[in-house]
Amino acid sequence: MSVIGSDNRNLRLGVRYLVLILIALIFVLPLLFMVMSSFKPSDELLRDTSSLRAFLPVGQLSLDNYTGAFERAPVGLFVFNSIFVTGTTVLLSLVICSLAGFSFVFLQWRGRDVMLSIILATFIVPFETIAIPLLLEVSKLPWLGLDGLSWGWLDSYRVQIIPWIADGLTIFLFVQYFKGLPGELIEAARVEGASWFQIYRRVVIPLSGPVIATAAILKFLIMYNQYLWPLIVVQQEQYRPVMVGLQYFFQLNPAWGEIMAYLTLITVPVLAFYLVLQKAFIASIASTGVKG
């Protein structure tokens, strides 16, 4: 019986690993195809799509597509814009949304539950329904800069950052995580005479690494993949992000090799950001149950 039981366990383990390998291939193969195709001429790239050669470093490999991508569009500028807008938004969002989550969980104030319900209700509102009203609003807002007072936020970094700092999903993540923290820690800090901000900074935030990593990665992906909003609020090339820059490669005759090279280049910051936060992200999945 022990032999049969051992065989069954080995079979289940083998099936589990097979399923995991298949899932990994589903995610890895498109990336592998993209990278391999970025080194091939467009005609060879299209021919290889019908065979396994599409995933292998075979054929006339060169860096011509990357050179062509930089000649067709200001790739470096677009990547910088996306990283600057995304990084700034993520940092500000973590601060603002964590403070909001802290207030919803630990502070007692009138209308708290109603306000939280309203914020959660925003989940069901598609962005497309508020895009035009939001566009009209930001086009008339004042801004005090080095050149003095101006009206309208269009064609700027701020119009891509400020409307996205606070969002219901990030606040919800912090609220749910903060509810799981031991209440005794907060009570002990209050007994010691700590202010609420000191509790937030010295007690709650040091214990919130997993949810911070989760919120940061989700916010990074949302902001880095922004397309519709930058498309309608940014007309000047100097402020365009990478997703809007993709349009440059579909004008007249699309050069698929250059497109793959461009996609490979703009994927690097996403992978690098995820690898930096990988351990904290895995810990956050285990502790909060948030699915990536």
Side-chain angles (χ1 to χ4, degrees):
M1 294 294 293
S2 60
V3 175
I4 297 177
S6 177
D7 291 341
N8 289 335
R9 285 195 298 271
N10 291 335
L11 179 61
R12 289 196 296 269
L13 185 62
V15 172
R16 183 180 303 174
Y17 277 115
L18 179 61
V19 172
L20 292 176
I21 291 173
L22 291 176
I23 294 175
L25 288 175
I26 292 174
F27 288 95
V28 171
L29 287 179
L31 293 176
L32 184 61
F33 169 77
M34 177 183 68
V35 174
M36 292 299 103
S37 299
S38 68
F39 296 102
K40 301 177 181 180
S42 295
D43 55 348
E44 184 176 349
L45 183 161
L46 296 175
R47 288 198 306 268
D48 289 348
T49 55
S50 60
S51 66
L52 291 177
R53 290 173 57 90
F55 305 99
L56 301 175
V58 295
Q60 302 177 15
L61 305 181
S62 69
L63 296 176
D64 292 344
N65 290 327
Y66 289 89
T67 304
F70 279 94
E71 292 176 351
R72 179 174 293 207
V75 179
L77 175 63
F78 293 159
V79 172
F80 169 80
N81 289 342
S82 285
I83 292 177
F84 176 76
V85 170
T86 300
T88 304
T89 307
V90 168
L91 290 177
L92 293 176
S93 178
L94 291 178
V95 174
I96 299 300
C97 293
S98 62
L99 284 171
F102 182 88
S103 69
F104 281 122
V105 174
F106 299 112
L107 303 183
Q108 299 293 330
W109 45 280
R110 192 171 185 178
R112 182 187 64 175
D113 295 337
V114 174
M115 182 62 66
L116 181 59
S117 298
I118 294 174
I119 291 175
L120 297 181
T122 61
F123 287 170
I124 64 175
V125 180
F127 172 71
E128 290 77 6
T129 62
I130 64 172
I132 301 303
L134 186 59
L135 171 64
L136 296 176
E137 182 178 352
V138 298
S139 66
K140 299 177 182 178
L141 289 177
W143 181 260
L144 183 61
L146 298 177
D147 300 329
L149 182 65
S150 60
W151 295 89
W153 288 9
L154 302 182
D155 288 321
S156 65
Y157 289 124
R158 59 183 177 271
V159 76
Q160 302 179 68
I161 295 174
I162 296 177
W164 300 92
I165 291 176
D167 67 280
L169 175 60
T170 308
I171 294 175
F172 174 74
L173 289 176
F174 279 107
V175 167
Q176 292 301 107
Y177 188 86
F178 290 165
K179 285 181 178 179
L181 295 179
E184 294 80 5
L185 293 176
I186 308 301
E187 295 175 2
R190 292 294 291 171
V191 170
E192 293 293 329
S195 66
W196 283 115
F197 184 74
Q198 289 175 325
I199 294 174
Y200 164 81
R201 184 168 62 89
R202 297 182 178 179
V203 178
V204 174
I205 291 301
L207 297 174
S208 303
V211 70
I212 289 175
T214 301
I217 290 176
L218 293 178
K219 192 70 174 182
F220 185 95
L221 293 176
I222 292 172
M223 292 304 302
Y224 196 79
N225 291 322
Q226 284 276 11
Y227 175 76
L228 178 60
W229 182 244
L231 183 65
I232 62 179
V233 299
V234 174
Q235 301 300 322
Q236 296 182 18
E237 184 179 79
Q238 66 186 85
Y239 297 112
R240 288 174 178 167
V242 292
M243 292 304 166
V244 176
L246 190 59
Q247 290 183 332
Y248 283 61
F249 297 88
F250 288 95
Q251 298 173 357
L252 301 178
N253 297 322
W256 292 105
E258 295 179 5
I259 292 173
M260 293 301 171
Y262 181 77
L263 293 176
T264 301
L265 289 171
I266 68 176
T267 302
V268 171
V270 179
L271 295 179
F273 184 79
Y274 174 76
L275 291 176
V276 170
L277 297 179
Q278 183 181 24
K279 292 184 179 179
F281 181 63
I282 294 175
S284 71
I285 294 177
S287 60
T288 65
V290 177
K291 303 300 182 181

